[in-house]
């Protein structure tokens, strides 16, 4: 079965860093795009980043460009989201999900979802 498990969230001070992991099972990463999404209380789920099966032109939403980096480790079948220079507005539950492409990173276009991991940026 296809399954995604997020980990790596936690509490960090503004300006700090976290590395989120999305461990895939039941499929290999060269068959799907993987998107990272986040949802803060009272707000819609938004696409944060995406990496395609071919790794062409990774997507980043404007608010995280230059601070976040998405990557894949095929040996571990895991996608990572390195988050640097974190801001309080980055606070949210972060999810990873499978899709078919990264041209539009919108939640309805992604299928299998992990359980989410909480990221809190606060002093």
């Amino acid at each position: 079965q296809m399954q995604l498990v997020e980990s790596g969230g936690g509490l960090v001070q503004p300006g700090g860093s976290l590395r989120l992991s999305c461990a895939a099972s039941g499929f290999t990463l060269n068959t799907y795009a993987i998107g990272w999404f986040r949802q803060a209380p009272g707000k819609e789920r938004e696409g944060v980043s995406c990496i395609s099966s071919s790794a062409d032109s990774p997507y980043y939403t404007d608010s995280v460009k230059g601070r976040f980096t998405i990557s894949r480790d095929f040996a571990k079948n895991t996608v990572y989201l390195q988050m640097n220079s974190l801001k309080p507005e980055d606070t949210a539950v972060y999810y990873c999900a499978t899709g078919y492409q990264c041209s539009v990173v919108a939640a309805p276009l992604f299928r299998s979802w992990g359980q989410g991991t909480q990221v809190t940026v606060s002093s």
Side-chain angles (χ1 to χ4, degrees):
Q1 74 282 11
M2 297 175 59
Q3 186 169 271
L4 299 174
V5 179
E6 301 98 333
S7 62
L11 175 64
V12 65
Q13 293 183 337
S17 298
L18 286 172
R19 188 192 194 194
L20 305 185
S21 297
C22 176
S25 61
F27 68 99
T28 54
L29 293 177
N30 64 350
T31 59
Y32 288 96
I34 301 294
W36 282 100
F37 298 79
R38 65 187 181 187
Q39 188 163 24
K43 295 183 171 59
E44 290 189 340
R45 188 169 298 186
E46 66 168 337
V48 176
S49 185
C50 185
I51 189 165
S52 69
S53 58
S54 65
D56 292 341
S57 300
Y59 166 86
Y60 301 96
T61 193
D62 286 345
S63 64
V64 309
K65 287 180 179 177
R67 300 189 297 122
F68 291 10
T69 303
I70 192 168
S71 62
R72 293 185 294 189
D73 185 331
F74 288 108
K76 296 183 178 180
N77 212 35
T78 299
V79 173
Y80 301 98
L81 186 67
Q82 179 67 47
M83 306 187 297
N84 298 327
S85 302
L86 283 162
K87 304 175 180 179
E89 51 263 45
D90 295 318
T91 296
V93 178
Y94 283 71
Y95 302 88
C96 60
T98 59
Y100 294 101
Q101 58 185 10
C102 293
S103 58
V104 179
V105 185
L109 301 180
F110 288 72
R111 294 292 177 267
S112 297
W113 293 78
Q115 83 289 349
T117 185
Q118 176 71 48
V119 172
T120 302
V121 184
S122 176
S123 59

